[in-house]
Amino acid sequence: MVYDLVVLGAGAAGLMASASLPGKKVLVLERNPRPGAKIAISGGGRCNLTNQNLSPDDYLGERAFVEAVLRRFDNDALLAWLRRRGLEPVLRKENQWFCPESAKELVDVLLGACAHAEFAYDTEILGVRKEGDRFFIETSRGEFSAPKVLVATGGLSYASVGATGIGFAIAEDFGHALVPPRPALVGLTLQPAEAWMKALAGLSLPVAIRVGRREIEGDLLFAHKGVSGPAVLDASLWWNRGKLTVDFLPGVRLARLFKNPKKSAMSQIPLPRRFVRAFFEALKLPNVPYHAMDEVQKQRLSLLKSYAFAPAGTFGYARAEVTKGGVNTAEIDPATMQSRLVKGLFFAGEVVDVTGGLGGYNFQWAFSSAVVAAKGCEGAAAL
Ligand SMILES: Cc1cc2nc3c(=O)[nH]c(=O)nc-3n(C[C@H](O)[C@H](O)[C@H](O)COP(=O)(O)OP(=O)(O)OC[C@H]3O[C@@H](n4cnc5c(N)ncnc54)[C@H](O)[C@@H]3O)c2cc1C
């Protein structure tokens, strides 16, 4: 069989790119026995497929590159594309668009639009080489060839549903530079100084986390291994090493709390007792009225508003929703997603050095970059 394009990976990006090339001879290679494994488990089984508020600021990556790609296929374009195919996404949590019932609905719509494509499942991609104008894809089921290849194999997160990192290896084999991949949208482990937090496992609090110049509001969940929850996951996108600062009382002025001079400071803090006790113990604060504290103690108590600590690391790829880093965008044309180094080689999705925060931004990126790549493939010669 002669193919126009081989798509590597039947995830969000690979499916959308294939769906966007009707009438072309497209082969999709996938190691899983079925497509869209990550879509199926995403967003609590309902897939948060995009966000009402979409901006390049929601992404870690080269701003101009992200903007150029999103402009070509944004959240409105995605919603319209889905509605034309009978899927009516539902707005939840203020600005996040989800599948109405189940993520399977999205997989079905994507697959339905891929009727022209051929799928080879249970097929492990091992490597790609180029000879003359053709690419040869080596797999566990033999070799396939085409004049164009789209690398849509995602990152390293959640190997349990198919991630392998082969896309990074292919990019490097073709001379592309990688921004070092790291786990992101992931819980953070703690240094011994923060061991007190581990005793709070199971407790969740609304907080504001400062990381670099960003401030992220949301819930922090204390876990056995460290800290997690939406605010921490989002913070992990912007954190590499060094300190984060947590405000455990966002919107509350500390000075206004301790109005009753007779009551202990502890009893006037509007946070769960379990947390307050652990915090006082960790910071060696006495259970006395605020006014009875000395200046050093008051200073330590004020850390409720600005507790700075350096996480030890992350919960790792097995628990990370995404992989940040990836193929350097300086070497990809944002108008086509084609490699600037190798003609006929295209990239889309998480394999590229663009990573969004929580809220549907990563699927939007996968879909936007896939549509741009499909158009790029179509526009390029020989298809
Ligand atoms: C638990 C979880 C929940 C998530 N929830 C959301 C959410 O609600 N909203 C959101 O925007 N994002 C969410 N994400 C992130 C989102 O799933 C990814 O950003 C998105 O799937 C990336 O799309 P992709 O097509 O680039 O990669 P993937 O969807 O990972 O697809 C890559 C495909 O390539 C295949 N592949 C990899 N290596 C090989 C190989 N060697 N041979 C053959 N095939 C291979 C994989 O099996 C996979 O099917 C979530 C992620 C996880 C893990």
Side-chain angles (χ1 to χ4, degrees):
M1 181 72 182
V2 179
Y3 300 105
D4 297 317
L5 168 73
V6 177
V7 173
L8 311 186
L15 289 172
M16 180 54 108
S18 307
S20 306
L21 286 166
K24 303 295 176 196
K25 293 184 198 102
V26 178
L27 171 67
V28 187
L29 303 177
E30 170 58 55
R31 72 194 289 257
N32 285 332
R34 60 188 67 85
K38 250 184 210 174
I39 298 176
I41 60 163
S42 67
R46 278 189 168 164
C47 184
N48 176 198
L49 48 93
T50 189
N51 199 289
Q52 184 68 12
N53 308 320
L54 182 68
S55 143
D57 294 338
D58 300 307
Y59 291 89
L60 174 67
E62 174 51 39
R63 196 178 201 285
F65 184 91
V66 176
E67 193 167 28
V69 173
L70 294 180
R71 196 177 350 108
R72 288 174 164 85
F73 190 79
D74 63 10
N75 47 353
D76 289 335
L78 173 62
L79 292 169
W81 192 93
L82 294 170
R83 286 177 184 135
R84 277 200 303 278
R85 286 160 182 80
L87 185 73
E88 188 57 56
V90 178
L91 200 55
R92 294 178 209 277
K93 302 184 193 169
E94 285 181 32
N95 49 21
Q96 295 170 233
W97 288 97
F98 284 80
C99 288
E101 300 289 333
S102 132
K104 189 174 172 298
E105 294 164 322
L106 175 58
V107 179
D108 289 345
V109 163
L110 288 164
L111 262 188
C114 286
H116 57 284
E118 196 179 307
F119 285 80
Y121 295 115
D122 297 310
T123 304
E124 177 95 26
I125 300 151
L126 304 171
V128 180
R129 66 179 197 286
K130 193 177 185 193
E131 286 175 15
D133 284 343
R134 291 192 77 77
F135 291 91
F136 294 85
I137 301 104
E138 192 195 338
T139 78
S140 57
R141 296 201 169 197
E143 199 165 80
F144 300 90
S145 128
K148 294 193 176 71
V149 166
L150 170 63
V151 182
T153 43
L156 289 161
S157 307
Y158 268 66
S160 55
V161 284
T164 62
I166 186 72
F168 299 142
I170 293 168
E172 283 194 308
D173 285 349
F174 280 108
H176 276 275
L178 295 187
V179 172
R182 295 198 206 295
L185 303 189
V186 64
L188 298 171
T189 54
L190 302 170
Q191 312 253 18
E194 274 67 52
W196 64 275
M197 293 190 189
K198 292 190 184 172
L200 297 170
L203 187 69
S204 174
L205 297 177
V207 299
I209 301 180
R210 240 180 305 125
V211 47
R213 274 176 290 134
R214 299 226 163 211
E215 178 157 295
I216 295 152
E217 290 190 11
D219 287 347
L220 176 151
L221 173 69
F222 295 97
H224 290 290
K225 278 181 78 173
V227 284
S228 186
V232 173
L233 299 199
D234 251 340
S236 73
L237 178 60
W238 309 101
W239 177 83
N240 273 328
R241 57 168 62 116
K243 289 189 175 176
L244 307 170
T245 306
V246 182
D247 178 353
F248 290 108
L249 284 168
V252 175
R253 297 261 302 274
L254 213 53
R256 299 231 174 121
L257 277 186
F258 307 109
K259 286 193 183 131
N260 188 331
K262 288 189 188 135
K263 275 191 168 177
S264 73
M266 211 186 218
S267 66
Q268 294 181 81
I269 296 170
L271 285 168
R273 294 289 292 168
R274 209 174 136 205
F275 172 84
V276 178
R277 252 189 247 120
F279 184 85
F280 268 59
E281 226 169 85
L283 293 166
K284 301 193 170 52
L285 288 168
N287 186 12
V288 295
Y290 182 72
H291 301 283
M293 287 185 180
D294 62 28
E295 278 316 305
V296 174
Q297 288 163 342
K298 284 180 180 166
Q299 199 63 41
R300 271 193 246 137
L301 184 61
S302 74
L303 295 181
L304 274 173
K305 294 288 297 171
S306 56
Y307 189 87
F309 70 102
T314 74
F315 290 5
Y317 285 116
R319 304 271 296 277
E321 286 201 8
V322 288
T323 302
K324 63 181 169 186
V327 183
N328 191 335
T329 50
E331 297 169 353
I332 301 174
D333 177 356
T336 59
M337 294 307 287
Q338 184 168 207
S339 160
R340 293 193 195 273
L341 311 183
V342 183
K343 207 168 150 252
L345 182 65
F346 295 79
F347 296 96
E350 202 176 308
V351 72
V352 177
D353 175 32
V354 174
T355 313
L358 283 184
Y361 296 107
N362 286 297
F363 279 126
Q364 178 67 54
W365 170 253
F367 295 138
S368 298
S369 56
V371 169
V372 174
K375 290 209 178 105
C377 286
E378 208 166 25
L383 195 75

